[in-house]
Amino acid sequence: MHGNPMPDSYVYVTEEGVTRHYADGSVEALAWEDVVEVRVVTESGEDVLYILLDRDGEGCVVPRSATDATFLARLRYLPDFDLERLTLAADSAHDGVVVVWRSPDPPSALPDLEYD
């Protein structure tokens, strides 16, 4: 009997925030009101990652493959969020990290993070 393989994670988007549940049982969650920065991580041959961060540099990693119109629509509620900038960064042929949005009142500095 062959079934669909179990995905490595599930992403849930609500009016309150975004949550990612991993296959190992770990969870990342962030309330929309706590988001101060959105980053896009691109790497050749890998899924594009959207990184949502709070003031402490903690956050939620959302693979583009796990997003839908609800996630993108909710990002547009962030003050002055530019969906076109997000799309351009995600579709970039260059590997790297791009900050596509920062809160109008961001913390003094967010840490550089390493992504697997």
Side-chain angles (χ1 to χ4, degrees):
M1 185 168 166
H2 298 285
N4 291 332
M6 198 60 176
D8 68 345
S9 65
Y10 294 97
V11 175
Y12 297 100
V13 177
T14 66
E15 288 298 314
E16 290 77 35
V18 61
T19 304
R20 182 176 180 189
H21 295 266
Y22 291 86
D24 67 2
S26 61
V27 176
E28 293 175 342
L30 187 60
W32 291 114
E33 66 188 25
D34 295 333
V35 175
V36 298
E37 188 170 288
V38 178
R39 299 177 183 180
V40 174
V41 179
T42 55
E43 190 172 317
S44 298
E46 299 293 326
D47 197 359
V48 172
L49 301 175
Y50 301 126
I51 314 296
L52 309 178
L53 297 171
D54 68 10
R55 292 187 179 280
D56 297 324
E58 299 293 321
C60 190
V61 177
V62 180
R64 179 165 61 175
S65 62
T67 64
D68 61 13
T70 304
F71 177 75
L72 298 175
R74 188 56 191 87
L75 285 175
R76 294 174 68 177
Y77 284 102
L78 297 172
D80 298 319
F81 189 84
D82 185 347
L83 195 55
E84 185 174 334
R85 181 175 167 90
L86 176 84
T87 302
L88 288 172
D91 292 342
S92 170
H94 304 290
D95 292 350
V97 178
V98 176
V99 175
V100 296
W101 179 83
R102 279 199 176 112
S103 169
D105 183 30
S108 55
L110 285 172
D112 289 331
L113 304 175
E114 292 185 24
Y115 307 100
D116 295 331

